[in-house]
Amino acid sequence: MSALDPFTPAPAARGRVPAEPRTMDLTAPRRGPLGGAGADTAAPEPSTPDLSTLPEATWQDDTGAPFALAPAHAGIHLGTGRDGRPVALPCPGPTGTRVAALGESLFGRLLALRLLATGALVTAATREPGPWQGIRRAAGERLAFAEEPAAWPRHTPAPPAVDAGPQALVSDQRRAPSSALAAGPWRTVLHVTRNPPRGAAFWHRPDVLLALGAEYADAVGRLLGPEAAGLTARLTSGEVVLFRSDATEVLRPDIAPGEHEILTAGITDSQ
């Protein structure tokens, strides 16, 4: 009988079927020798290394130069800069914000509307409440009026979603609010006027100064100097300049159709 071809499987024994291929179970306990008592014996536990024999190292953490965390320039959207980037007014925040705006009272109402959208309670100190009626219908009791802003804030300012939340005072009165009103967390105070009162502490180095047109260049010059006045004088129609201690931005305000409807509704009703 010739030898079997090594590449041809051997025939199975008569009356038996080929055994299924077997795999090793790496987790099951090992069995005793075939034909033994049949008792299972567990695999031995791996030995724990002697930690005293492991290498040691002493770490010297060098933190380098000290660093500080500062709030990002986020806040209420104002418009789009000349480079196409969004420009925001940095409020409300964990520190008070004092905003001085050279322009029409309409800007105060626009900012009030956006402060309301952030969850702030707004108090309007205004000589003409009529144009505010569209905002009042939209905001309800979250907008209040005050002839004398000295009693503001009406609630203790707090972070968003805490108690009454942030508080904001928007004034278009001739007399500027006290600068002390903006001293504290989660509060924003805005004074908007065409002619800033001379000697008013509120207008001395505010956190933000806005000029809503080139016609306010002289006033900006008195407050910030000739370089800022020159920049303001070069504004084109529809442009606004924003001055902060760390940045200057020229932008065009963005007003949504819904905002325009609310703001103009107040003006129509008052006429």
Side-chain angles (χ1 to χ4, degrees):
M1 184 174 179
S2 61
L4 292 176
D5 185 344
F7 297 101
T8 302
R14 181 173 299 175
R16 299 177 61 186
V17 295
E20 294 293 331
R22 301 181 64 186
T23 59
M24 182 178 292
D25 187 351
L26 300 180
T27 59
R30 294 182 301 175
R31 297 187 180 276
L34 185 62
D40 292 341
T41 58
E45 296 291 336
S47 60
T48 302
D50 183 359
L51 299 182
S52 65
T53 64
L54 298 178
E56 296 181 354
T58 301
W59 295 94
Q60 298 292 336
D61 292 335
D62 183 7
T63 58
F67 67 94
L69 298 177
H73 285 163
I76 298 174
H77 180 72
L78 286 182
T80 304
R82 286 175 172 174
D83 57 0
R85 294 184 300 109
V87 179
L89 188 67
C91 63
T95 58
T97 304
R98 184 162 40 107
V99 183
L102 293 162
E104 301 293 334
S105 60
L106 174 62
F107 177 79
R109 297 194 295 276
L110 174 63
L111 184 60
L113 191 59
R114 294 184 179 179
L115 282 163
L116 287 163
T118 68
L121 294 181
V122 176
T123 299
T126 179
R127 295 174 286 112
E128 299 181 6
W132 288 82
Q133 295 311 309
I135 303 177
R136 181 59 185 270
R137 284 198 294 269
E141 297 302 317
R142 295 174 59 225
L143 173 67
F145 294 94
E147 294 183 3
E148 179 50 60
W152 184 86
R154 49 187 172 134
H155 301 284
T156 302
V162 176
D163 297 330
Q167 305 290 303
L169 174 67
V170 178
S171 174
D172 60 11
Q173 295 178 336
R174 292 187 179 90
R175 184 178 180 181
S178 169
S179 59
L181 292 178
W186 302 107
R187 61 187 69 199
T188 301
V189 182
L190 165 72
H191 185 220
V192 55
T193 181
R194 293 190 296 269
N195 300 300
R198 293 182 181 270
F202 188 92
W203 284 79
H204 179 67
R205 298 187 180 279
D207 299 301
V208 180
L209 175 66
L210 287 151
L212 310 181
E215 62 269 29
Y216 300 105
D218 290 343
V220 170
R222 292 194 301 270
L223 295 166
L224 299 180
E227 185 176 349
L231 175 60
T232 306
R234 293 190 296 272
L235 294 176
T236 61
S237 178
E239 285 188 327
V240 171
V241 61
L242 179 150
F243 297 99
R244 288 198 304 259
S245 60
D246 59 347
T248 299
E249 302 271 6
V250 176
L251 63 131
R252 289 185 177 275
D254 297 327
I255 301 179
E259 291 177 319
H260 182 269
E261 182 178 352
I262 293 174
L263 294 171
T264 55
I267 295 174
T268 302
D269 293 347
S270 65
Q271 292 177 345

